[in-house]
Amino acid sequence: MTVRTAVRLDAVTKIYGRRGRGGVVALDAVTAALPRGSFTAVMGPSGSGKTTFLHCAAGLDHVTSGTSWIGDTELSGLNETQLTRLRRRRVGFVFQSFNLVPALTVRHNIALPLRLAGERTDRRRLDGILERVGLAGKASARPAELSGGQQQRVAIARALITRPDVVFGDEPTGALDTVTAREILALLRDCVDTGGQTVVMVTHDPVAAAHADTVLFLADGRLTDRMEAPTADRVADRMTHLGAWA
Ligand SMILES: Nc1ncnc2c1ncn2[C@@H]1O[C@H](COP(=O)(O)OP(=O)(O)OP(=O)(O)O)[C@@H](O)[C@H]1O
C-alpha cells in the first residue's frame, strides 16, 4: 500500500460472540481506503456497524478476520503495548459526550495524551492549539465552566495535541445544538484543509455528513454505497433508500 492512504480496511469482518452460534456480524467483509488529508463521514441505520467500523479502523477493537492499517502499520500485527502506543500517538478520538476529566483544567485536559505518553508538553504548541480551536482565554477553566461546544473544542484540541495521523469522531456533534454543531464541523473541516489531518466521523446527521469529502454508507455491516462531494439533501435521500429513517 502507499503512504498516501491514512486508513485502510481490507475484507474486515467483526463478529461479536461466536460465529454461527448467536454471534452478531457487526461488519461483514468491509473494504475501504481513506486518503491522507481527507474527511470521511460514515453513515447508516442504527446498528449498521458504524461505531464498529470506527473501532476496527482505529485499533480500539480487534477484527475477527481481514486486515486494517493506519498509514503503513498493520494493526493485527501489533501486540497490546504497540497498539496502546499507536492509539496514544497516531490517532485522536472525539466522542459525543466529550469525555473530559472534570477535575482538570482545559490546559491539563489537552495535555493529557502527552502526559500519558510520557512526553513533555510544549507550552507554545499548547497555546497554538488553544488558539486554533478558539479557546485562547480558557486555558485555566474547568470543563463544567464551559458550554457544550467549548467542551467539544477542548476534546478536539486534546485529539490534535499528539499530531495524530487520523482523528476519529463518533457522533462528535450529537450532543450539540445546530449552530454549535456547525462550528465544530467547521473546525474539523479546518483540521483537514489547513492542518492536513485525516478525519473520519460517524454521524446520523446529513447536514454534518455534508461537511465531508466522502460519505460511506453501511447497512447490516456491509459497505453498500459511497458519495463524493455530498450535499445534505442527497445524503438524506440516500439514507431514505437505506431505510435509515424507518
Ligand atoms: N460489544 C458488543 N457485543 C455484542 N454486540 C455488539 C457489541 N457492540 C455492537 N454490537 C452489535 O453490533 C451491531 C453493530 O453495532 P454498532 O454499534 O457498530 O452500530 P451503529 O451503526 O454504530 O449503531 P448506532 O447508530 O445505533 O450507534 C449491532 O447489532 C450491535 O447490537
Side-chain angles (χ1 to χ4, degrees):
M1 67 172 292
T2 75
V3 289
R4 301 247 354 113
T5 306
V7 177
R8 186 172 155 207
L9 287 81
D10 188 12
V12 166
T13 293
K14 174 69 186 179
I15 302 174
Y16 293 106
R18 299 180 65 179
R19 192 190 292 265
R21 299 196 200 170
V24 176
V25 182
L27 285 183
D28 190 358
V30 167
T31 295
L34 315 184
R36 272 188 198 283
S38 66
F39 190 165
T40 303
V42 181
M43 297 197 81
S46 185
S48 58
K50 302 182 293 299
T51 295
T52 306
F53 176 96
L54 212 65
H55 287 190
C56 288
L60 280 181
D61 212 342
H62 291 285
V63 305
T64 306
S65 63
T67 337
S68 57
W69 289 264
I70 296 284
D72 54 6
T73 306
E74 185 188 331
L75 302 188
S76 48
L78 304 181
N79 62 32
E80 280 308 321
T81 310
Q82 292 167 322
L83 259 182
T84 302
R85 194 174 308 144
L86 175 129
R87 285 194 295 257
R88 281 190 185 150
R89 290 168 192 265
R90 297 192 45 201
V91 298
F93 295 95
V94 183
F95 301 95
Q96 178 171 348
S97 51
F98 321 137
N99 291 7
L100 302 176
V101 181
L104 296 182
T105 62
V106 165
R107 183 183 296 286
H108 287 120
N109 263 288
I110 296 172
L112 199 55
L114 291 176
R115 283 190 58 196
L116 290 173
E119 286 178 29
R120 215 177 59 73
T121 308
D122 179 333
R123 176 85 183 228
R124 286 229 311 271
R125 172 157 173 71
L126 209 143
D127 287 344
I129 287 205
L130 275 167
E131 182 102 21
R132 188 164 152 204
V133 302
L135 290 175
K138 297 286 183 189
S140 302
R142 287 179 209 278
E145 296 163 345
L146 302 177
S147 69
Q150 288 171 330
Q151 290 188 54
Q152 197 60 305
R153 287 171 186 274
V154 177
I156 291 172
R158 182 183 56 185
L160 291 175
I161 192 76
T162 57
R163 295 192 179 89
D165 296 339
V166 190
V167 174
F168 291 96
D170 197 348
E171 297 273 3
T173 57
L176 304 175
D177 65 76
T178 316
V179 174
T180 311
R182 208 168 295 159
E183 289 167 9
I184 292 298
L185 290 160
L187 183 56
L188 290 172
R189 185 70 248 179
D190 185 61
C191 291
V192 175
D193 294 342
T194 311
Q197 227 85 42
T198 305
V199 174
V200 187
M201 170 182 78
V202 164
T203 183
H204 280 103
D205 178 6
V207 175
H211 287 74
D213 301 306
T214 305
V215 184
L216 302 180
F217 294 92
L218 281 166
D220 293 331
R222 291 175 190 226
L223 215 47
T224 55
D225 208 349
R226 60 183 290 144
M227 184 186 291
E228 306 296 336
T231 64
D233 283 347
R234 285 171 57 228
V235 171
D237 191 49
R238 198 72 56 94
M239 290 286 281
T240 303
H241 287 109
L242 283 176
W245 317 122

